[in-house]
């Protein structure tokens, strides 16, 4: 009889193993809630080796390949209903396979930290206070000697029942306890309710300009469509997102908005909360586990109408999904660079298709991948070619660094322009992608340089902290007083970092407010906000910083943007480096002249005739992107081919390299090299030695994704049982962003 059949489940467990495990749910557990059968997406507590661990049900198969009688029983069922809606869970499983990551590790990565433990998900509730019978019957003149207590009783008498949060805003906490002890008031808990939203808007939206109107009219909500909103910086893309979100909110649906950086959150969040009269939750890495779980459950239960978050927010369940927005879709931070190496942007498109809802990818500098998807008509391109409002596109100037006087990385022409801008009462933004004082220190006498012993790199000088620091492994030491090689005291910093330029500018402009924004200066919580508040005051100032400054901030009084060193990006061996540099320069330039004042952009370089710079300045990003697409096609690179990289690292160079030779040989047995599949490597990684480990890569380049998937699945299986794998760390990176 069917009832005698064991209830088999196939479970993912947080481990580096690429396999699922079969268990049985005992009758005693099934009988607890006979109407609610466990399904995929529910967590279970299972015996695994000698421990009890949390697992996720992936499927409930009819049969098992093992002896049914020998299957272990689960210890406990942790969720009555699945944590994740079925479509989304299917996406989770798909993503684990697609990115070729061990399934348990991948799936648990997509859950909030709190849910990776054996704790049931409790619905958040709100605490309320009301008067007891004794409290209601209190005479007019009682509590006369305790006016606050009396006031609180009066308040509850007037309003009936009030939430704890509302009350402690008006009365000290201890009064609540005192009155509860006297049995005059009592508390109770209610599950947090969904608020019915009648009025969506808090603020009247700007009326759209002609270009925005045309774009907005094209957006449809009835099924899956992917739009690439390609609009120059300040063209009003965000305004389009807000309008589209408004439309889905009116349909009673939710919007999921992805943004690249935590530092952008306060500004963006404010823009959303100023506009909408709906609950908004923000998910980013700075949240505590508890706060994150609350935001996650609010989204899942439909209590939050807008979910705003960075990369991992793509895994947030929504009760009524209506729209996904990915702002700055070209941004590298959407790709996780370690562990489960997923691309949140790409998963967003797949999710939208699974949920059958529209998605808007927005950028002033769209990725070559997305532009190609428009060419092939998979995405629909929407263009905003001009800045909204009155702001004009900035004027670019190339500053040739050859044979000119340079101090702390700043050419004299540039210095003059900075000085002019400040005396005109405007603000300057200086961009240099190297933090610290100098990228190296050398001995002027014998040529000795301070290297990191664990990495193939020089130690960066941090003068303010009097330390030499490795930016790859965080090794630190004091700055030596003399050369360890020849004892000379003539140790000099080489090259410039943000700290040095800041130092120099402070001496040159002693009366101007000069602020540095990089990972060192913004370590303290709120430091970034303090800088932004200062800039928003509009007084003349100079902001100097790393790429943190390049992202979406809106500073209306900045009229000069300087890129101190464009050269490092021109000569990187990574095939995406030109695309990246073009995006970076365009984005940084976009910070200039966003208000009423016209802006200027200075690019300092030793290569003023470089075709990339010429093309970018004279033809703009979109035309340059077409050239880059042609190059990619010629060199058989993404998006025309698909890449995977197998990375291996070990304390011994030979060990890592041998492993990848084995990987390549195995792969070639499965799929011999041909027109449609090529292998490259093993090659040393860009930084061969890092934190004491030697790193190698093997590149696989194919014409078809399905071929890559089949190959990698079989290959991983073989590599998992590689002898000596304990001495190696290896991983697979599908659609790598860096090689
Ligand atoms: P983007 O997201 O493309 O950088 P934003 O939406 O932030 O552009 O708009 C840039 C600036 O232009 C903002 O200050 C915004 O308020 C303003 N703006 C956008 N749309 C309009 C409009 N239709 N009319 C007037 N100002 C607008
Ligand atoms: Zn020396
Ligand atoms: Zn190091």
């Amino acid at each position: 009889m069917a009832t005698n059949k064991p209830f088999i489940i196939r479970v993912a467990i947080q481990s580096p193993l690429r396999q699922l495990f079969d268990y049985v749910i005992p009758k005693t557990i099934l009988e607890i809630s006979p109407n609610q059968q466990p399904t995929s997406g529910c967590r279970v507590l299972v015996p695994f080796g000698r421990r009890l661990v949390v697992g996720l049900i992936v499927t409930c198969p009819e049969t098992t390949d093992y002896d049914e009688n020998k299957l272990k029983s689960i210890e406990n069922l942790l969720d009555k209903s699945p944590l994740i809606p079925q479509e989304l869970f299917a996406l989770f499983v798909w993503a684990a396979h697609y990115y070729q990551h061990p399934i348990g590790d991948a799936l648990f990565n997509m859950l909030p930290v709190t849910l990776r433990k054996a704790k049931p998900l409790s619905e958040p509730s709100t605490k309320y206070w009301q008067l007891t019978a004794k409290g209601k019957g209190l005479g007019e003149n009682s509590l006369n000697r305790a006016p606050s207590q009396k006031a609180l009783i009066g308040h509850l008498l007037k309003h009936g029942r009030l939430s704890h949060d509302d009350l402690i805003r008006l009365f000290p906490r201890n009064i609540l306890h005192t009155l509860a002890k006297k049995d005059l008031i009592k508390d109770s808990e209610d599950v947090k309710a969904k608020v019915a939203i009648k009025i969506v808007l808090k603020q009247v939206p700007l009326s759209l300009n002609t270009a925005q109107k045309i774009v907005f009219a094209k957006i449809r909500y009835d099924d899956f469509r992917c739009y690439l909103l390609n609009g120059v910086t300040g063209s009003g893309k965000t305004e389009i997102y807000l309008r589209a979100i408004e439309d889905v909110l009116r349909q009673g649906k939710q919007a999921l908005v992805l943004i690249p950086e935590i530092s952008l959150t306060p500004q963006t969040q404010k823009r959303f909360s100023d506009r909408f009269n709906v609950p908004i939750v923000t998910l980013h890495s700075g949240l505590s586990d508890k706060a994150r779980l609350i935001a996650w459950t609010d989204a899942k239960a439909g209590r939050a109408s807008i979910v705003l978050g960075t990369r991992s927010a793509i895994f947030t369940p929504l009760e009524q999904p209506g729209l996904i927005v990915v702002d700055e879709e070209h941004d590298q931070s959407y790709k996780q660079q370690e562990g489960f190496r997923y691309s949140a942007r790409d998963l967003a498109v797949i999710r939208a298709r699974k949920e059958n809802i529209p998605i808007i990818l927005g950028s002033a500098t769209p990725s070559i991948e997305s532009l190609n998807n428009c060419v092939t008509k998979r995405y629909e391109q929407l263009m905003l070619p001009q800045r909204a409002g009155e702001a004009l596109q900035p004027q670019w100037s190339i500053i040739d660094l050859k044979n000119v006087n340079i101090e702390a990385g700043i050419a004299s022409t540039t210095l003059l322009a900075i000085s002019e801008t400040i005396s005109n009462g405007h603000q300057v933004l200086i961009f240099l992608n190297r933090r610290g004082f100098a990228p190296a220190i050398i001995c002027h006498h014998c040529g000795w340089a301070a290297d990191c012993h664990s990495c193939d790199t020089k130690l960066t000088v941090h003068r303010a902290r009097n330390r030499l620091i490795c930016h790859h492994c965080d090794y630190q030491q004091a700055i030596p007083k003399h050369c360890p090689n020849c004892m000379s005291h003539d140790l000099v910093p080489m090259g410039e970092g943000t700290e040095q330029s800041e130092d120099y500018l402070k001496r040159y402009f002693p009366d101007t407010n000069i602020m540095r924004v990089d990972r060192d200066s913004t370590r303290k919580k709120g430091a970034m906000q303090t800088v932004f508040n200062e800039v928003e005051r509009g007084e003349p100032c100079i902001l100097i910083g790393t790429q943190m400054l390049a992202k979406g901030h809106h500073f209306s009084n900045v009229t000069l943007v300087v890129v101190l060193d464009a050269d490092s990006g021109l000569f990187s061996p990574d095939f995406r480096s030109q695309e990246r540099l073009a995006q970076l320069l365009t984005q940084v330039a976009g910070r200039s002249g966003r208000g009423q004042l016209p802006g200027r952009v200075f690019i300092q370089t030793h290569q003023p005739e470089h075709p990339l710079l010429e093309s970018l300045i004279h033809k703009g990003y979109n035309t340059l992107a077409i050239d880059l697409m042609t190059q990619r096609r010629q060199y058989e690179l993404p998006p025309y081919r698909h890449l995977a990289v197998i990375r291996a690292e070990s304390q011994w160079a030979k060990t890592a390299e041998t492993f990848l030779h084995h990987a390549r040989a195995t792969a070639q047995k499965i799929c011999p090299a041909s027109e449609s599949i090529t292998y490259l490597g093993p090659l040393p990684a860009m930084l061969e030695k890092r934190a004491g480990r030697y790193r190698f890569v093997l590149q696989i380049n194919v014409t078809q994704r399905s071929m890559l998937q089949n190959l990698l699945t079989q290959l991983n299986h073989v590599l998992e049982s590689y002898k000596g794998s304990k001495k190696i760390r290896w991983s697979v990176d599908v659609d790598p962003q860096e090689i």
Side-chain angles (χ1 to χ4, degrees):
M1 250 173 55
T3 45
N4 284 332
K5 248 175 88 64
F7 197 112
I8 303 168
I9 53 172
R10 200 153 286 162
V11 174
I13 282 163
Q14 260 188 100
S15 83
L17 298 171
R18 287 163 209 267
Q19 86 185 76
L20 298 172
F21 300 88
D22 288 1
Y23 288 89
V24 171
I25 306 190
K27 282 224 178 69
T28 44
I29 291 181
L30 288 171
E31 279 162 2
I32 298 174
S33 44
N35 299 327
Q36 220 160 12
Q37 296 267 298
T39 58
S40 46
C42 292
R43 290 170 308 154
V44 284
L45 193 64
V46 296
F48 190 70
R50 277 189 227 143
R51 296 174 302 148
L52 282 179
V53 300
V54 183
L56 254 179
I57 305 181
V58 176
T59 55
C60 305
E62 290 285 313
T63 56
T64 171
D65 296 339
Y66 303 92
D67 181 352
E68 272 182 17
N69 300 315
K70 285 195 184 147
L71 287 188
K72 286 188 189 156
S73 291
I74 68 161
E75 183 74 19
N76 200 357
L77 177 66
L78 295 170
D79 305 302
K80 285 211 180 72
S81 58
L83 284 180
I84 316 289
Q86 297 301 300
E87 276 108 42
L88 187 60
F89 191 68
L91 176 80
F92 281 22
V93 175
W94 181 91
H97 288 304
Y98 180 81
Y99 291 105
Q100 297 286 333
H101 194 73
I103 182 152
D105 197 57
L107 292 178
F108 278 95
N109 235 289
M110 299 182 231
L111 291 179
V113 175
T114 321
L115 297 177
R116 299 177 199 168
K117 299 174 198 141
K119 263 204 175 153
L121 173 64
S122 56
E123 268 298 306
S125 53
T126 311
K127 186 161 153 178
Y128 289 90
W129 290 97
Q130 66 194 95
L131 295 174
T132 58
K134 189 173 162 200
K136 280 184 193 149
L138 219 55
E140 273 281 301
N141 293 324
S142 28
L143 292 177
N144 272 352
R145 270 188 283 162
S148 310
Q149 293 183 24
K150 189 175 175 129
L152 199 153
I153 298 277
H155 199 66
L156 279 178
L157 208 53
K158 189 165 156 209
H159 295 281
R161 189 165 175 254
L162 285 173
S163 80
H164 181 78
D165 290 344
D166 284 343
L167 278 174
I168 58 170
R169 242 175 263 136
L170 301 172
F171 302 94
R173 238 172 247 266
N174 60 356
I175 297 185
L176 288 165
H177 294 297
T178 314
L179 290 173
K181 258 201 207 134
K182 291 184 182 166
D183 190 29
L184 295 173
I185 63 173
K186 64 178 177 191
D187 62 356
S188 55
E189 305 246 332
D190 264 4
V191 171
K192 234 162 120 185
K194 203 161 138 178
V195 212
I197 298 153
K198 293 201 187 74
I199 300 158
V200 166
L201 290 182
K202 209 187 262 178
Q203 172 195 66
V204 184
L206 301 166
S207 53
L208 297 181
N209 61 33
T210 315
Q212 284 171 321
K213 270 187 197 144
I214 295 171
V215 158
F216 184 58
K218 291 207 171 125
I219 299 175
R220 297 268 166 279
Y221 305 95
D222 32 9
D223 50 18
F224 166 70
R225 273 160 225 250
C226 183
Y227 301 99
L228 177 67
L229 181 55
N230 180 352
V232 297
T233 50
S235 59
K237 295 184 292 296
T238 310
E239 197 53 42
I240 298 288
Y241 307 151
L242 292 169
R243 287 298 189 95
I245 291 168
E246 181 185 333
D247 281 352
V248 300
L249 293 176
R250 288 190 199 285
Q251 298 168 23
K253 294 186 178 163
Q254 296 165 283
L256 173 62
V257 183
L258 298 186
I259 50 175
E261 291 275 327
I262 181 169
S263 63
L264 292 185
T265 333
Q267 271 193 335
T268 316
Q269 195 177 3
K270 183 166 184 311
R271 207 144 157 207
F272 281 71
S273 56
D274 283 351
R275 176 69 56 92
F276 297 117
N277 186 36
V278 304
I280 301 175
V281 295
T282 324
L283 286 157
H284 54 76
S285 54
L287 286 184
S288 70
D289 290 346
K290 190 175 167 207
R292 177 171 275 272
L293 184 69
I294 293 174
W296 189 91
T297 41
D298 279 353
K300 175 173 141 90
R303 285 186 294 266
S305 302
I306 300 175
V307 178
L308 190 64
T310 47
R311 184 173 60 221
S312 65
I314 189 55
F315 301 120
T316 316
L318 299 175
E319 200 212 15
Q320 287 286 340
L323 172 71
I324 303 181
V325 173
V326 182
D327 191 24
E328 311 289 359
E329 67 88 32
H330 66 279
D331 199 282
Q332 259 178 293
S333 71
Y334 287 125
K335 172 92 187 204
Q336 176 134 307
Q337 302 284 16
E338 61 201 27
F340 176 42
R341 296 169 189 252
Y342 65 96
S343 155
R345 182 212 42 214
D346 295 350
L347 285 180
V349 177
I350 310 240
R351 177 169 181 181
R353 184 182 313 136
K354 273 209 161 34
E355 315 229 48
N356 202 28
I357 55 171
I359 173 167
I360 306 175
L361 308 178
S363 176
T365 53
S367 62
I368 302 290
E369 275 84 358
S370 296
L371 287 171
N372 183 55
N373 279 325
C374 294
V375 174
T376 59
K377 301 269 187 297
R378 270 187 290 253
Y379 299 174
E380 182 176 348
Q381 185 159 216
L382 309 173
M383 305 283 282
L384 291 175
Q386 247 112 49
R387 283 189 166 181
E390 288 158 51
L392 296 169
Q393 277 298 326
Q395 277 293 323
W396 296 67
S397 311
I398 296 283
I399 309 300
D400 188 352
L401 290 181
K402 289 196 299 290
N403 307 313
V404 303
N405 191 19
I406 308 172
E407 295 272 359
I410 305 164
S412 40
T413 339
T414 309
L415 201 58
L416 199 66
I418 297 175
S419 177
E420 255 170 42
T421 311
I422 296 296
S423 34
N424 286 340
H426 302 162
Q427 300 173 331
V428 182
L429 201 155
I430 301 177
F431 177 80
L432 176 61
N433 218 1
R434 272 192 307 266
R435 61 195 174 88
F437 187 82
I441 190 165
I442 63 164
C443 171
H444 194 51
H445 190 67
C446 77
W448 170 87
D451 293 317
C452 174
H453 297 296
S454 312
C455 309
D456 279 337
T457 183
K458 306 266 176 266
L459 295 174
T460 300
V461 185
H462 285 254
R463 204 148 81 175
R465 287 197 272 163
N466 190 30
R467 312 217 36 96
L468 296 180
I469 302 176
C470 173
H471 283 186
H472 295 284
C473 72
D474 212 31
Y475 164 82
Q476 305 198 2
Q477 66 175 69
I479 299 178
K481 297 225 164 33
H482 54 77
C483 170
N485 191 38
C486 72
M487 295 308 183
S488 155
H489 285 266
D490 207 358
L491 293 177
V492 288
M494 281 290 285
E496 303 78 29
T498 46
E499 205 182 304
Q500 189 174 151
S501 308
E502 178 199 18
D503 244 38
Y504 175 75
L505 290 167
K506 277 192 168 150
R507 272 181 283 127
Y508 201 89
F509 299 104
D511 303 324
T512 306
N513 187 3
I514 294 167
M515 293 170 282
R516 178 159 58 90
V517 176
D518 55 28
R519 258 204 293 144
D520 300 316
S521 75
T522 55
R523 228 170 275 258
K524 266 213 304 229
K525 211 176 161 201
M528 193 88 168
Q529 198 51 48
T530 314
V531 172
F532 290 155
N533 292 345
E534 187 54 34
V535 179
E536 261 159 35
R537 284 202 315 131
E539 295 295 311
C541 64
I542 303 176
L543 226 67
I544 170 152
T546 56
Q547 65 186 20
M548 280 179 123
L549 275 182
K551 317 263 164 124
H553 310 293
H554 183 86
F555 303 135
S556 50
N557 208 15
V558 168
T559 58
L560 175 65
V561 168
V562 180
V563 177
L564 287 186
D565 174 21
D567 293 348
S568 45
L570 290 173
F571 300 108
S572 160
D574 193 308
F575 76 87
R576 277 183 228 269
S577 64
Q578 299 222 340
E579 176 188 351
R580 291 272 145 71
L581 179 64
Q583 286 166 342
L584 186 69
L585 293 181
T586 312
Q587 294 285 348
V588 187
R591 305 302 122 218
S592 184
R594 284 176 68 99
Q596 311 269 317
L597 311 159
R600 290 193 290 173
V601 182
F602 276 35
I603 310 278
Q604 297 195 156
T605 174
H606 285 95
Q607 305 287 325
E609 291 95 25
H610 195 289
L612 179 125
L613 296 178
E614 292 258 310
S615 179
L616 188 62
I617 292 170
H618 296 118
K619 302 187 200 141
Y621 179 83
N622 282 308
T623 313
L624 173 67
I626 295 172
D627 296 345
L628 294 177
M629 282 161 99
T630 315
Q631 279 176 24
R632 295 277 185 89
R633 194 192 286 277
Q634 264 170 5
Y635 293 116
E636 305 198 323
L637 288 165
Y640 304 100
R641 307 267 294 200
H642 307 289
L643 284 188
V645 170
I646 303 183
R647 302 172 199 280
E649 53 172 77
S650 168
Q651 265 172 289
W652 301 275
K654 204 83 217 123
T655 311
E657 203 180 358
T658 309
F659 172 80
L660 288 182
H661 276 298
H662 169 69
R664 178 168 176 166
T666 313
Q668 280 181 327
K669 262 187 227 146
I670 304 167
C671 277
S674 68
E675 281 273 290
S676 44
I677 181 161
T678 56
Y679 298 91
L680 183 65
L683 298 173
M686 208 101 85
L687 186 70
E688 183 178 344
K689 187 178 166 208
R690 179 172 172 180
R693 305 174 75 87
Y694 292 87
R695 300 148 17 106
F696 285 81
V697 295
L698 171 67
Q699 252 187 64
I700 308 176
N701 179 321
V702 300
T703 44
Q704 297 211 322
R705 284 186 204 279
S706 56
M707 182 181 201
L708 189 62
Q709 289 300 321
N710 289 334
L711 169 65
L712 290 173
T713 308
Q714 292 181 56
L715 180 62
N716 286 335
H717 198 69
V718 178
L719 295 183
E720 285 215 295
S721 50
Y722 179 76
K723 273 195 262 86
S725 64
K726 285 214 175 78
K727 292 183 184 150
I728 303 162
R729 272 191 224 146
W730 65 278
S731 61
V732 183
D733 191 350
V734 177
D735 304 334
Q737 286 297 300
E738 295 173 335
I739 295 176

